[in-house]
Each structure stands twice: as C-alpha cells, then as structure tokens.
Amino acid sequence: QVQLVESGGGLVQPGGSLRLSCAASGIILSFNDMGWYRQAPGKQRELVAVITRGGRANYADSVKGRFTISGDNAKNTVNLQMNSLKADDTAVYYCNAHIWAVATDYWGQGTQVTVSS
C-alpha cells in the first residue's frame, strides 16, 4: 500500500523559507517520479517541481531559482526547500508519486503553506 505523508508547512513572512518533506512508504523513490504540486483557493492544482526516476529535477517557471527539490533514497523521502517565499506561493502543497510500473499517481493529504506579513 502506497502512502505519502507531508510535513513542514506553516506560516512564514514574505522573503522567508520553509522546507517541506514527504515520507513515502510502499514504494521505492528511485524507481518512480516524485513531485510537489500546489493548489491555491479558486485555482487549479499546478506542478511546482518534480524529480524523475533518473534524478532530473524540473521546476515551474514561477519557482525556478527559489525552490529546490531533492530525494533521500536512504530515508525514502522527497523534500522541497522553498526560499524567498512570496504571497503568491500561498497554497496547499501536495506530494505526488507517479508509479511507472502501474501507470498510477498517488497523492498525500496536503500541507498548508501561508506566506503573509
């Protein structure tokens, strides 16, 4: 059974930093693509960053240079380091696992990130 559990969200001032973590069970990170998505009120869910099973990281244009995605295969976690946060980054952030073997996506429950002074 695949389970993804996010942590690390919270309230931060503009310009601040947060680190999100996603603990995965039931899968091997290095065999799959792992990503972070976000959904702001009244908006569609959007891709923030993904790290492929080949280890390549891709980012949305809006977060390039500010966010960094990384995987820790020993701990089976994927992290999102978010720096220089802006009010527009306010959203619920979701961890995603794309399981290539069964062509299925799994989602975490989400963690709220609020950027406000």
Side-chain angles (χ1 to χ4, degrees):
Q1 182 179 357
V2 178
Q3 193 170 18
L4 304 173
V5 179
E6 302 102 332
S7 61
L11 173 65
V12 64
Q13 292 186 343
S17 298
L18 279 176
R19 183 178 177 86
L20 305 183
S21 290
C22 173
S25 58
I27 58 171
I28 299 173
L29 260 59
S30 60
F31 288 2
N32 303 286
D33 292 354
M34 299 297 297
W36 286 95
Y37 288 70
R38 67 186 181 188
Q39 187 167 18
K43 295 186 177 181
Q44 289 188 330
R45 191 174 296 188
E46 63 176 1
L47 174 67
V48 175
V50 62
I51 185 164
T52 69
R53 54 184 173 174
R56 179 175 179 176
N58 295 307
Y59 300 91
D61 287 344
S62 59
V63 306
K64 281 181 181 176
R66 300 188 297 123
F67 290 12
T68 303
I69 188 171
S70 61
D72 185 333
N73 292 333
K75 296 181 179 179
N76 227 37
T77 59
V78 59
N79 304 305
L80 185 68
Q81 178 65 43
M82 305 186 295
N83 299 328
S84 302
L85 283 161
K86 307 174 182 178
D88 287 347
D89 295 318
T90 295
V92 178
Y93 284 70
Y94 296 91
C95 180
N96 168 269
H98 179 73
I99 312 301
W100 285 98
V102 293
T104 300
D105 283 89
Y106 291 88
W107 297 90
Q109 81 285 355
T111 185
Q112 177 70 45
V113 171
T114 301
V115 184
S116 175
S117 56

